[in-house]
Amino acid sequence: MPSSNPRYRNPKLRRTMRVRIMRRGDPCALCGKPIDYSLPRGHPMAYELDEIIPISRGGSPTDPDNLQATHAICNRRKGN
């Protein structure tokens, strides 16, 4: 059964984009502070891939022009 969440419809491409954005080593696009890319998922300051235009508003979960690096906590605060 296909996933209803667009982020998981093409998991290989999504993982590729996650790695590509991570390799750039950008600071958080929301707060501007450095991201420790070695922190595990679940840590508030860990790297998270964010859609600039949320999927709920028509943004693409795999278009590199719509993706940015953020801290998990900053992304949660942003919402959609």
Side-chain angles (χ1 to χ4, degrees):
M1 178 164 63
S3 174
S4 62
N5 186 331
R7 287 180 189 94
Y8 307 121
R9 288 190 187 141
N10 191 339
K12 184 177 180 184
L13 180 56
R14 179 74 176 185
R15 280 190 304 274
T16 298
M17 296 314 304
R18 180 175 167 72
V19 170
R20 182 182 294 175
I21 301 292
M22 180 179 67
R23 285 185 179 156
R24 294 191 322 208
D26 295 339
C28 178
L30 301 175
C31 75
K33 294 181 182 172
I35 297 172
D36 182 346
Y37 287 90
S38 68
L39 291 173
R41 286 187 185 184
H43 189 285
M45 298 302 284
Y47 163 60
E48 197 163 277
L49 190 60
D50 174 51
E51 294 87 21
I52 298 166
I53 300 171
I55 294 170
S56 64
R57 295 187 180 162
S60 168
T62 55
D63 179 354
D65 293 331
N66 192 45
L67 300 172
Q68 61 188 0
T70 65
H71 293 114
I73 189 121
C74 296
N75 197 19
R76 298 292 176 286
R77 288 178 182 155
K78 172 189 166 195
N80 70 351

